[in-house]
Amino acid sequence: MQYPPDHALPLVQLKERRREMVVALQNRVGRVGDDELRQLATIQQAIAAIEDVIADLDCEVDETFSAAADRQVHSLPVFGGRTLVHSPV
């Protein structure tokens, strides 16, 4: 299964929106309103939550591939292995 780096979540759009809001606030003269700060904080929380979800999904994908690789390695027959009975020591 091929996943895009963002797992089809709106991370890029949220980061762009955050950047637009920050630039607008930087260019502003005067006091920043509480509503604007709340909107910015909400977007930041959403970004952090999505980044956590992406990290979890990436771990699950890695674990799935590791488990599949382990099954392939353990399913191979052992050749040339020595046991204690056949050891010359």
Side-chain angles (χ1 to χ4, degrees):
M1 197 181 284
Q2 244 343 316
Y3 287 107
D6 64 356
H7 297 273
L9 296 170
L11 184 61
V12 173
Q13 294 87 349
L14 286 171
K15 286 184 175 183
E16 287 174 357
R17 178 67 182 133
R18 177 185 61 188
R19 182 184 51 78
E20 291 168 358
M21 289 180 72
V22 168
V23 168
L25 291 174
Q26 286 175 340
N27 294 332
R28 186 181 184 150
V29 177
R31 188 172 185 272
V32 177
D34 289 341
D35 287 339
E36 292 164 317
L37 289 177
R38 274 192 220 99
Q39 287 176 352
L40 193 56
T42 300
I43 289 174
Q44 183 57 43
Q45 287 176 335
I47 289 169
I50 289 173
E51 288 174 338
D52 287 344
V53 168
I54 289 172
D56 288 345
L57 290 172
D58 287 344
C59 285
E60 288 179 15
V61 169
D62 289 344
E63 288 173 1
T64 301
F65 285 129
S66 290
D70 286 345
R71 281 193 301 273
Q72 288 176 350
V73 169
H74 293 301
S75 65
L76 297 175
V78 178
F79 294 106
R82 292 185 171 211
T83 63
L84 292 176
V85 174
H86 297 102
S87 178
V89 177

